[in-house]
Amino acid sequence: RKEEELDSKDAIILHQFSRPTNGVPSLSPLCLKMETYLRMADLPYQNYFDGKLSPQGKMPWIEYNHKKVSGTEFIIDFLEEKLGVNLNKHLGPHERAVSRAVTRMVEEHFYWTLTYCQWVENLHETQKMVSLFGPFSDLLKWIFCHLTKGIVKREMYGHGIGRFSEEEMYTLMEKDMRTLASLLGDKKYIMGPYVSTVDATVFGHLAQAMWTLPGTRPERLIKGELINLAMYCERIRRKFWPEWQHDDDNTLYESEESSEASKTYSPLQDFSFYSRTETFDEEGNSISQTPDTDYTGHSLFDSDVDMDEYRDHEQCK
């Protein structure tokens, strides 16, 4: 197929894998991380599902003003430099160090155990979610998934984690998940009341356990004993992915207000530009209004906000 020439002038073009068929934005933790980050930073972007890898053989990758950048860490650094965004400006040096350590644990360790669960042990379920259409689509999906399985096993062996038994790998996965649950505790986000870059990373990976691995040990763990991680995933999904609905939505994680709000939604964005900003000034210029908290430090999106106290404060103002 003849390739289209993309005009990335002053536009973020996000290249990633196609949407799966189960309503989840991506089966790739890193693709979901990158798109969630763009939404958290309120940066308009355009998805491009061409399946083409970056010059470094990476996915996802972006184009901006005809500059190609791959690797989620380098993409975020690039956007911070070019566009002046920074989700970590409220973090101190110690918190930034902890945030980076958590990111490395998730992306260099937890990632591989999730990948094993998706593409080796639970391959038959993953195959149902892969989006391929047209003649012989079922055969093509089978070929694609089994090729991916072979690649994953080879890369895991080279990494070293693939040399352990299945039970040992699940033990490592459980330790990582328990570490994340302990770090989160009863906080709203990993580093406290405000969202930061590490939340895009953690959510991109935990979302796979929540919504793409039915009946597996990580799903049972996150929806059972480590329920604070499930609530964390739901919190981010409802705030930054309002159009993302799931057939198995569980009211255990939502309040009455969020349950009512979730009944109206639009399909996941594909090729159109996306931005969370929906406020305009008198001249029609867009104004970014994405507050995390009210004057008390509580989230405006949480069900435990004391609205009477908030109204009284507003009246005093």
Side-chain angles (χ1 to χ4, degrees), residues 105 108-122 149 152-178 217-218 221:
M105 179 194 75
E108 304 296 338
H109 195 265
F110 183 47
Y111 168 86
W112 288 109
T113 56
L114 273 177
T115 301
Y116 174 83
C117 194
Q118 278 184 312
W119 295 100
V120 179
E121 200 240 347
N122 206 44
K149 175 182 177 180
V152 165
K153 292 180 72 173
R154 184 176 71 244
E155 291 189 351
M156 289 184 68
Y157 189 85
H159 176 279
I161 198 170
R163 306 183 188 210
F164 297 112
S165 68
E166 179 180 302
E167 185 60 33
E168 288 171 328
M169 280 192 281
Y170 275 113
T171 298
L172 295 175
M173 170 187 278
E174 183 173 329
K175 287 183 177 181
D176 287 343
M177 293 180 71
R178 291 186 183 279
R217 289 169 64 174
L221 190 61

Side-chain angles (χ1 to χ4, degrees), residues 188 193-194 291-302 304-306 309-310:
K188 183 181 177 187
Y194 301 99
D292 260 334
T293 59
D294 63 7
Y295 76 99
T296 65
H298 290 95
S299 167
L300 296 176
F301 296 86
D302 283 352
D304 59 353
V305 174
D306 189 339
E309 180 185 0
Y310 184 77

Side-chain angles (χ1 to χ4, degrees), residues 97-161:
V98 172
S99 177
R100 179 167 176 77
V102 173
T103 297
R104 295 277 66 82
M105 179 194 75
V106 171
E107 293 187 352
E108 304 296 338
H109 195 265
F110 183 47
Y111 168 86
W112 288 109
T113 56
L114 273 177
T115 301
Y116 174 83
C117 194
Q118 278 184 312
W119 295 100
V120 179
E121 200 240 347
N122 206 44
L123 184 65
H124 61 289
E125 289 293 338
T126 302
Q127 184 175 325
K128 299 175 184 177
M129 304 175 196
V130 171
S131 177
L132 282 176
F133 303 99
F136 312 111
S137 60
D138 289 340
L139 176 61
L140 290 174
K141 284 201 289 187
W142 186 92
I143 294 173
F144 168 77
C145 289
H146 281 77
L147 284 174
T148 303
K149 175 182 177 180
I151 294 171
V152 165
K153 292 180 72 173
R154 184 176 71 244
E155 291 189 351
M156 289 184 68
Y157 189 85
H159 176 279
I161 198 170

Side-chain angles (χ1 to χ4, degrees), residues 16 29 38 45 57 69 73 76 85 88 103 119 125 127 137 178 189 198 234-235 237 256 275 292 309 312:
Q16 62 170 313
L38 291 171
Y45 64 94
V69 187
E73 185 172 358
I76 291 172
V85 297
N88 299 330
T103 297
W119 295 100
E125 289 293 338
Q127 184 175 325
S137 60
R178 291 186 183 279
Y189 298 116
V198 70
E234 282 289 351
R235 188 178 304 125
R237 185 185 77 155
E256 289 184 15
S275 175
D292 260 334
E309 180 185 0
D312 291 342

Side-chain angles (χ1 to χ4, degrees), residues 10-293:
D10 297 327
I12 300 172
I13 308 297
L14 176 61
H15 295 260
Q16 62 170 313
F17 297 114
S18 298
R19 302 283 196 213
T21 59
N22 66 333
V24 176
S26 181
L27 293 175
S28 164
L30 295 176
C31 286
L32 183 53
K33 167 196 173 178
M34 195 66 248
E35 192 169 0
T36 301
Y37 170 84
L38 291 171
R39 290 174 175 233
M40 287 178 170
D42 200 17
L43 294 175
Y45 64 94
Q46 184 178 14
N47 278 313
Y48 204 71
F49 303 108
D50 54 356
K52 181 180 178 182
L53 301 178
S54 72
Q56 294 81 14
K58 293 283 189 177
M59 188 75 91
W61 56 287
I62 69 162
E63 292 181 80
Y64 181 78
N65 284 339
H66 306 290
K67 170 76 173 179
K68 298 179 180 179
V69 187
S70 66
T72 56
E73 185 172 358
F74 292 118
I75 293 172
I76 291 172
D77 290 344
F78 173 81
L79 293 176
E80 287 182 351
E81 178 185 350
K82 294 295 182 182
L83 302 178
V85 297
N86 188 353
L87 294 180
N88 299 330
K89 59 185 177 182
H90 61 284
L91 301 180
H94 175 75
E95 292 173 313
R96 290 172 185 261
V98 172
S99 177
R100 179 167 176 77
V102 173
T103 297
R104 295 277 66 82
M105 179 194 75
V106 171
E107 293 187 352
E108 304 296 338
H109 195 265
F110 183 47
Y111 168 86
W112 288 109
T113 56
L114 273 177
T115 301
Y116 174 83
C117 194
Q118 278 184 312
W119 295 100
V120 179
E121 200 240 347
N122 206 44
L123 184 65
H124 61 289
E125 289 293 338
T126 302
Q127 184 175 325
K128 299 175 184 177
M129 304 175 196
V130 171
S131 177
L132 282 176
F133 303 99
F136 312 111
S137 60
D138 289 340
L139 176 61
L140 290 174
K141 284 201 289 187
W142 186 92
I143 294 173
F144 168 77
C145 289
H146 281 77
L147 284 174
T148 303
K149 175 182 177 180
I151 294 171
V152 165
K153 292 180 72 173
R154 184 176 71 244
E155 291 189 351
M156 289 184 68
Y157 189 85
H159 176 279
I161 198 170
R163 306 183 188 210
F164 297 112
S165 68
E166 179 180 302
E167 185 60 33
E168 288 171 328
M169 280 192 281
Y170 275 113
T171 298
L172 295 175
M173 170 187 278
E174 183 173 329
K175 287 183 177 181
D176 287 343
M177 293 180 71
R178 291 186 183 279
T179 299
L180 291 173
S182 297
L183 280 169
L184 178 64
D186 60 357
K187 300 192 300 293
K188 183 181 177 187
Y189 298 116
I190 296 295
M191 302 308 298
Y194 301 99
V195 71
S196 58
T197 303
V198 70
D199 291 297
T201 303
V202 174
F203 174 75
H205 288 72
L206 288 180
Q208 308 303 321
M210 274 284 290
W211 294 294
T212 73
L213 296 170
T216 61
R217 289 169 64 174
E219 186 203 48
R220 292 196 297 270
L221 190 61
I222 196 173
K223 293 183 178 180
E225 185 179 347
L226 307 182
I227 195 68
N228 66 328
L229 294 182
M231 296 173 69
Y232 168 80
C233 287
E234 282 289 351
R235 188 178 304 125
I236 292 180
R237 185 185 77 155
R238 293 181 186 280
K239 181 172 181 180
F240 298 103
W241 291 90
E243 77 277 32
W244 170 6
Q245 300 293 308
H246 193 265
D247 292 339
D248 298 326
D249 274 357
N250 195 328
T251 56
L252 177 64
Y253 313 123
E254 62 186 24
S255 65
E256 289 184 15
E257 293 178 1
S258 63
S259 179
E260 288 296 322
S262 66
K263 293 178 182 178
T264 58
Y265 64 95
S266 56
L268 287 173
Q269 299 294 309
D270 287 338
F271 291 94
S272 58
F273 279 93
Y274 173 87
S275 175
R276 290 197 305 118
T277 302
E278 296 179 354
T279 304
F280 299 85
D281 62 17
E282 293 179 355
E283 297 178 2
N285 298 317
S286 177
I287 302 174
S288 178
Q289 290 190 338
T290 56
D292 260 334
T293 59

